[in-house]
Amino acid sequence: MAIKEGDFVRLNFTGKIKETDEVFDTTSEDIAEEAGILVENKVYGPIPIIVGGNHLLKAIDDAIIGTEAGEAIHVSVTPENGFGQRNPNFIQLIPMKEFKKQGMTPVRGMKITADAGTGKIISVNGGRVKVDFNHELAGKNLEYDVSVVEVIEDDEEKIKSMIELHYSYPNMDLDKTEIKIDGDKLSIKLDEITRFDQKSYMDVTFARFRISKDIWDNMDYEKVEFVDEFEKKVEEPAEEEAEE
């Protein structure tokens, strides 16, 4: 059956810069290792997305529509349809004293986060640091090899796929996620291990909101609640030693 907008799918992809044939992202561990971009502790394999859900570039979404599971496609993406053209106004000079206030020693290649977004230091000269806040792929022509592995049909599996996409947590077991459906209301109780998440409250809340929004927009549920449940542990009395 042809894939359509709104379908929940799992797919593999590899993205390259057309001009250099350099791999910049992939779902394949072998390709990542060969390209020298392997990320330690990252789980590689097919990723879940919603077609048309703004999880990938629109050009890729558009190319997937009409294909079928198992079909491999090649997608060319221009800067206009990718990460935009480079903007010289996004290159800023920041006084060295601003880094010293943060206890930082700026070096070429270091990535920083500021009000302007995420940038990369391209030079350090005396009392000034030049930072490029353009996206690293801005101005690049990109090539993607994409294949949809499966279309997810079951509602519970769709919900779990969005948890997998938006709420990454080491060793979280999606099989231990409890999902209860009551009409148009969903109740989600995540694996207990997520109680120890060290991310900020804001980051956790935003992840839950993104899960909820994808469910609202693409499934027939109006309310999504996340249940945090803590149960008092009652210690078992020590067994009395047998009398001699």
Side-chain angles (χ1 to χ4, degrees), residues 54-134:
N54 295 318
H55 299 147
L56 296 176
L57 294 174
K58 186 176 184 300
I60 299 176
D61 271 337
D62 291 345
I64 290 172
I65 294 173
T67 65
E68 296 187 359
E71 183 178 346
I73 60 173
H74 185 81
V75 186
S76 297
V77 182
T78 63
E80 290 75 17
N81 293 322
F83 296 92
Q85 294 288 357
R86 289 184 58 78
N87 187 338
N89 293 327
F90 290 170
I91 299 176
Q92 299 182 10
L93 287 173
I94 301 176
M96 178 68 77
K97 63 181 181 181
E98 296 299 326
F99 289 89
K100 291 183 177 179
K101 287 180 183 178
Q102 303 296 325
M104 297 171 59
T105 301
V107 295
R108 180 184 173 88
M110 178 188 290
K111 291 184 179 180
I112 66 168
T113 301
D115 292 340
T118 300
K120 183 177 180 179
I121 296 175
I122 55 178
S123 70
V124 180
N125 187 11
R128 297 188 301 178
V129 179
K130 184 179 289 187
V131 183
D132 186 355
F133 287 100
N134 282 285

Side-chain angles (χ1 to χ4, degrees), residues 1-240:
M1 183 179 294
I3 294 167
K4 61 186 182 301
E5 186 170 346
D7 279 350
F8 288 65
V9 305
R10 289 184 182 276
L11 57 78
N12 282 312
F13 74 86
T14 294
K16 297 181 180 180
I17 299 173
K18 181 178 181 179
E19 290 82 358
T20 62
D21 204 37
E22 173 189 357
V23 174
F24 61 84
D25 196 8
T26 182
T27 56
S28 167
E29 184 172 359
D30 289 341
I31 293 176
E33 185 172 13
E34 183 179 350
I37 60 170
L38 187 69
V39 178
E40 188 176 355
N41 298 324
K42 177 180 176 179
V43 177
Y44 287 85
I47 62 169
I49 68 155
I50 300 172
V51 180
N54 295 318
H55 299 147
L56 296 176
L57 294 174
K58 186 176 184 300
I60 299 176
D61 271 337
D62 291 345
I64 290 172
I65 294 173
T67 65
E68 296 187 359
E71 183 178 346
I73 60 173
H74 185 81
V75 186
S76 297
V77 182
T78 63
E80 290 75 17
N81 293 322
F83 296 92
Q85 294 288 357
R86 289 184 58 78
N87 187 338
N89 293 327
F90 290 170
I91 299 176
Q92 299 182 10
L93 287 173
I94 301 176
M96 178 68 77
K97 63 181 181 181
E98 296 299 326
F99 289 89
K100 291 183 177 179
K101 287 180 183 178
Q102 303 296 325
M104 297 171 59
T105 301
V107 295
R108 180 184 173 88
M110 178 188 290
K111 291 184 179 180
I112 66 168
T113 301
D115 292 340
T118 300
K120 183 177 180 179
I121 296 175
I122 55 178
S123 70
V124 180
N125 187 11
R128 297 188 301 178
V129 179
K130 184 179 289 187
V131 183
D132 186 355
F133 287 100
N134 282 285
H135 191 284
E136 286 188 332
L137 297 173
K140 306 290 187 183
N141 290 291
L142 309 176
E143 303 285 338
Y144 285 87
D145 290 307
V146 184
S147 61
V148 173
V149 176
E150 67 168 323
V151 178
I152 304 171
E153 301 288 357
D154 180 73
D155 271 13
E156 189 168 316
E157 292 304 313
K158 289 180 180 180
I159 295 162
K160 287 182 178 181
S161 75
M162 290 301 97
I163 296 171
E164 179 185 347
L165 177 66
H166 294 303
Y167 196 155
S168 59
Y169 187 79
N171 302 318
M172 179 173 67
D173 187 349
L174 284 172
D175 290 334
K176 293 181 180 178
T177 295
E178 298 178 17
I179 298 172
K180 295 181 180 179
I181 300 174
D182 182 9
D184 64 356
K185 175 184 173 182
L186 281 180
S187 176
I188 300 173
K189 182 181 176 184
L190 297 172
D191 180 3
E192 289 186 0
I193 197 171
T194 60
R195 296 177 183 175
F196 305 100
D197 197 340
Q198 298 298 308
K199 291 192 288 290
S200 70
Y201 177 79
M202 181 181 296
D203 287 341
V204 171
T205 300
F206 186 52
R208 292 181 174 189
F209 171 76
R210 288 188 293 178
I211 294 167
S212 301
K213 188 174 188 309
D214 277 337
I215 292 171
W216 297 330
D217 291 346
N218 298 280
M219 302 179 72
D220 295 325
Y221 302 106
E222 298 296 326
K223 183 175 181 180
V224 179
E225 67 177 16
F226 287 84
V227 178
D228 292 317
E229 187 176 89
F230 296 87
E231 182 177 352
K232 181 179 179 181
K233 300 295 183 182
V234 179
E235 294 184 5
E236 295 291 335
E239 293 184 5
E240 294 183 4

